[in-house]
Amino acid sequence: MPSFIYLDNSATTPVLPEIAATVHKMLTENFGNPSSLHGLGIAAERVLTGARRQVAALINAQPDEIYFTSGGTEANNWAIWGVSRTRRRQGKHIITTAVEHSSLLAACQRLEREGYEVTYLPVDSRGVIRLDDLEAALREDTILVSIMSVNNETGAIEPVAEAARIVHSKSRALFHVDHIQGYGKVALDCRTMGIDLMSLSAHKIHGPKGVGALYIKRGVPLEPLLVGGNQEAGRRAGTENTAGIAAFGLAADLASANMEARVATMRRIKTELAARLLQAIPEARINGPLAEEGAPHILNVSFPGVRAEVLVHMLEEKGIFVSTGSACHSRKQEASHVLKALNLEPWRLEGAIRISLGALNTLDEVEPVVAAVKECVMELWSLTK
Amino acid sequence: MYSTLLVRYGEISLKGNNRSYFEDKLLANMRRVLGDLAALRMHKTYGRVFVDLKGIDAEVVAERLKKVFGIVSMSPAVSTPLDLEAIKKAALEVLMESPGTTFKVQAQRPNKRFPLTSPELNQVLGAYLLTHTPNQRVDVHHPDRVVHVEIRDEGAYVYSRIIPGPGGLPVGVTGRALLLISGGIDSPVAGFLGMKRGLELTGLHFYSFPFTSERSKEKVIDLCRVLAGYGGSIRLVIAPFTEIQKAIRRNCPEEFYVTIMRRMMFRIARAVAEREGALALLTGESLGQVASQTLHSMAVINRVVELPVLRPLVAWDKSEIIDLARSIGTYDISIRPYEDCCTLFVPKHPATKPRLERVEAAESKLAVSELLKDCLENLEILTLYPDDLS
């Protein structure tokens, strides 16, 4: 048992031993380039085919609808940029939400500078969009609607199935889902839900960093982001990260095999943590959906009179790793755009930490975490009187 | 084409009896930044160092020497034997190297045995250059460039360009100071200015984990690496400050937090200075910038040390400090977002005119000597080298 408690799984997860072993094996034994004609190349290609099937299975897609990328950021960038190029004659309007990941928002902002128009749907106090807003925002020239399945900071689950239905019945726009935080935790079915594009990432499900995928529904044209080779059916150039892709496949397989049990455990830990934290510190507030709602693995909680960054470091001293609620990477320490979109009081923006669970967390960890948080918050209160 | 880099060091040559000490320091500092260019040879004469380039590009060498305090200017020069024909050819080469249409020749003759006097040389070389160049004129008042010719015992040096050096005194000649470095914009600039006046630095950083992040420490380390580029390695002492801040917070009235915090920092600095053999403290304080930097505050804070506290930025405006920080390469590091001083403990209304008796009374609630002892027993000491030198 490790001497620390890792609760920052929405940032990244530890790679499971059997997945790490796969990476090692791929790098040292099955290291061929899938484009090579000889046996080593063919063996590597076979691994890609297998991984494609595994990654696809978890979202009920076809293997040939999975295009491997360098990660979630590339998948989001590709979806946004690719649709904008492919459909530029049809229109220049895109709809997304105010709480998307920065890789998606930044891609949209880049298009805005190029003359595209982007509507950012607001969210309610729990971080969920209103379908009426979506319906009202759809226009003749809307070419893409992009909505995340699970918010990475609050764990809010967005109604993507309903949204897709509205989009397809009222417009000609494509529907993209950033499913990076939801993959392996919240089931989505690409075939029945009307999802045209979906971003995935390996390192949130105990796979390695630097590998992800974009699901592109059969028949959906999409301008490539990277050119210069015929890999990935000519849609994404660059020698495949075979070790990462093999590991991604295995990670998806493991997540899918245990999904119900994993999700149930995470949900129990999360609801227990939320209840116990509120009991220990009644002044605390949960940000986003209630613990029983929302994603099973993300809990965002604020403590009054506490600067989240300091609390994160104090917990770190006790061997507990969480993140600030506003884990932004900008130069200035601004509050997160997600929490701001929930219209919270300033103290809740400043004092928010995110606790995020993975497959390795256990119920035993609740007790020490609650005790540590209480101790740290009490100490901070004693210092600030 | 250049065989020599001629390096001038003005101020040092005025130093009377200490001159050779200053010169040796300068040469040692030059050797340090030129370290890996092993082929270089240097020799000094009065007010000059001649760097024998051995085929290395003069620009590369000059670029490095721009960070060596004490150097006033540098000129890439062609050296020739004491032979008029060779000197003529060199003068032509040098003239053609730099753009312009007017020139003059300015000869100097420290070696009085050379058959031509300086004015004669000017004439002979000027005439030669005129006949061997198209469209060049002599202008003795405002020439585009001056072809300098120095006739020395060992040979002649011909040059035209004068590259400014950083000036100041060689690092190390005026002693060691302890730089209180925070990771902000000001203190690295103060360190730079101290080094420019020949100080060797030890850095002292107060570290308040978990109230500040480990990245704030990284920031200070990176800043010291930049400073080390101007003076070789820098020792950095990291003092754990969390317990002291907590004690102040718990025991002292809010308006004096900052004053008492600074007094504790100075007490630690005094002890560290003694260990490090530093004769002064060096700070980035600028008068009136924040509450602890009023004259009243400085007076109260200063009472805990007998050492001189050097504040090179005391009369500088923030914009001037930022400009220099940019040009020495510390600004981009200083503005990284990680805080270095705990905002948790910054009171809303800090005393800007603290009275000594009241501060001392407030401080008497603190176990000053125990807190100091704990801190001093847990110092972390690093030695940092510039990034670009191995």
Side-chain angles (χ1 to χ4, degrees), chain B residues 247-320:
Chain B
I248 294 171
R249 190 70 182 85
R250 291 207 169 102
N251 298 298
C252 304
E254 192 169 323
E255 55 173 326
F256 294 139
Y257 288 164
V258 178
T259 313
I260 293 174
M261 186 179 85
R262 297 291 297 176
R263 279 164 66 93
M264 292 302 283
M265 287 178 172
F266 273 37
R267 288 185 175 106
I268 293 163
R270 180 179 62 187
V272 173
E274 192 172 332
R275 293 183 190 187
E276 290 287 310
L279 298 177
L281 306 186
L282 183 60
T283 80
E285 288 162 300
S286 164
L287 199 53
Q289 206 182 81
V290 294
S292 65
Q293 296 177 16
T294 64
L295 199 54
H296 290 81
S297 287
M298 284 187 194
V300 171
I301 292 163
N302 247 64
R303 291 295 282 254
V304 299
V305 291
E306 316 77 30
L307 293 170
V309 179
L310 307 178
R311 297 177 169 93
L313 301 179
V314 77
W316 287 42
D317 290 346
K318 195 74 187 181
S319 60
E320 297 169 315

Side-chain angles (χ1 to χ4, degrees), chain B residues 301-372:
Chain B
I301 292 163
N302 247 64
R303 291 295 282 254
V304 299
V305 291
E306 316 77 30
L307 293 170
V309 179
L310 307 178
R311 297 177 169 93
L313 301 179
V314 77
W316 287 42
D317 290 346
K318 195 74 187 181
S319 60
E320 297 169 315
I321 299 171
I322 288 173
D323 286 347
L324 185 51
R326 280 214 174 90
S327 76
I328 65 175
T330 56
Y331 183 76
D332 287 338
I333 301 172
S334 291
I335 59 167
R336 286 183 209 159
Y338 317 106
E339 288 164 292
D340 43 64
C341 203
C342 179
T343 56
L344 187 79
F345 297 115
V346 172
K348 283 198 188 72
H349 303 290
T352 52
K353 291 184 177 178
R355 280 177 41 216
L356 182 64
E357 320 82 74
R358 293 196 53 207
V359 171
E360 283 175 344
E363 217 172 60
S364 67
K365 308 275 195 317
L366 282 185
V368 171
S369 53
E370 277 106 277
L371 287 168
L372 290 178

Side-chain angles (χ1 to χ4, degrees), chain A residues 305 307 309-311 313-317 330-333 379-380 382-385, chain B residues 209-214 246 249-250 252 257 332 335-339 343-345:
Chain A
R307 267 186 47 218
E309 200 195 323
V310 173
L311 182 55
H313 292 315
M314 290 177 88
L315 289 170
E316 175 187 346
E317 273 195 319
S330 61
R331 301 199 71 88
K332 294 205 179 79
Q333 291 183 315
E379 176 165 12
L380 283 171
S382 84
L383 287 169
T384 48
K385 279 158 205 170
Chain B
F209 194 86
F211 299 111
T212 61
S213 92
E214 195 161 350
K246 283 191 200 167
R249 190 70 182 85
R250 291 207 169 102
C252 304
Y257 288 164
D332 287 338
I335 59 167
R336 286 183 209 159
Y338 317 106
E339 288 164 292
T343 56
L344 187 79
F345 297 115

Side-chain angles (χ1 to χ4, degrees), chain A residues 264-276:
Chain A
T265 307
M266 288 191 278
R267 172 81 63 198
R268 271 197 71 190
I269 300 173
K270 179 186 163 181
T271 45
E272 188 78 3
L273 258 175
R276 298 280 309 280

Side-chain angles (χ1 to χ4, degrees), chain B residues 17-80:
Chain B
N17 291 339
N18 285 329
R19 204 183 77 214
S20 69
Y21 168 68
F22 280 59
E23 287 173 345
D24 290 347
K25 265 284 185 214
L26 177 67
L27 254 70
N29 292 348
M30 287 171 62
R31 277 204 188 89
R32 185 182 43 71
V33 300
L34 297 175
D36 56 328
L37 303 174
L40 295 175
R41 291 281 173 278
M42 293 190 261
H43 67 277
K44 57 173 181 172
T45 66
Y46 200 86
R48 299 274 160 91
V49 176
F50 294 88
V51 180
D52 189 353
L53 293 169
K54 303 268 188 208
I56 296 165
D57 188 354
E59 298 298 324
V60 171
V61 177
E63 202 48 48
R64 296 216 191 166
L65 293 179
K66 276 183 182 169
K67 285 188 167 187
V68 177
F69 291 122
I71 293 175
V72 172
S73 66
M74 297 169 274
S75 292
V78 177
S79 71
T80 75

Side-chain angles (χ1 to χ4, degrees), chain A residues 183-314:
Chain A
Y183 192 51
K185 284 122 192 166
V186 173
L188 287 188
D189 186 321
C190 288
R191 204 166 304 169
T192 61
M193 284 181 176
I195 295 165
D196 300 303
L197 300 156
M198 179 188 280
S199 301
L200 304 171
S201 175
H203 76 113
K204 313 288 189 188
I205 55 165
H206 304 278
K209 293 159 194 66
V211 58
L214 184 64
Y215 155 86
I216 308 174
K217 190 172 149 183
R218 270 188 199 162
V220 170
L222 194 70
E223 190 100 345
L225 187 62
L226 300 184
V227 293
N230 277 321
Q231 293 88 350
E232 298 299 291
R235 299 179 97 167
R236 198 273 187 187
T239 302
E240 295 88 345
N241 170 11
T242 51
I245 290 168
F248 188 11
L250 181 54
D253 215 22
L254 294 173
S256 130
N258 301 313
M259 187 157 147
E260 265 180 47
R262 269 193 193 184
V263 167
T265 307
M266 288 191 278
R267 172 81 63 198
R268 271 197 71 190
I269 300 173
K270 179 186 163 181
T271 45
E272 188 78 3
L273 258 175
R276 298 280 309 280
L277 278 173
L278 288 176
Q279 198 179 8
I281 306 161
E283 296 86 345
R285 291 289 174 272
I286 306 289
N287 304 315
L290 298 173
E292 314 79 62
E293 302 167 357
H297 62 304
I298 299 176
L299 179 65
N300 192 304
V301 55
S302 292
F303 303 95
V306 166
R307 267 186 47 218
E309 200 195 323
V310 173
L311 182 55
V312 166
H313 292 315
M314 290 177 88

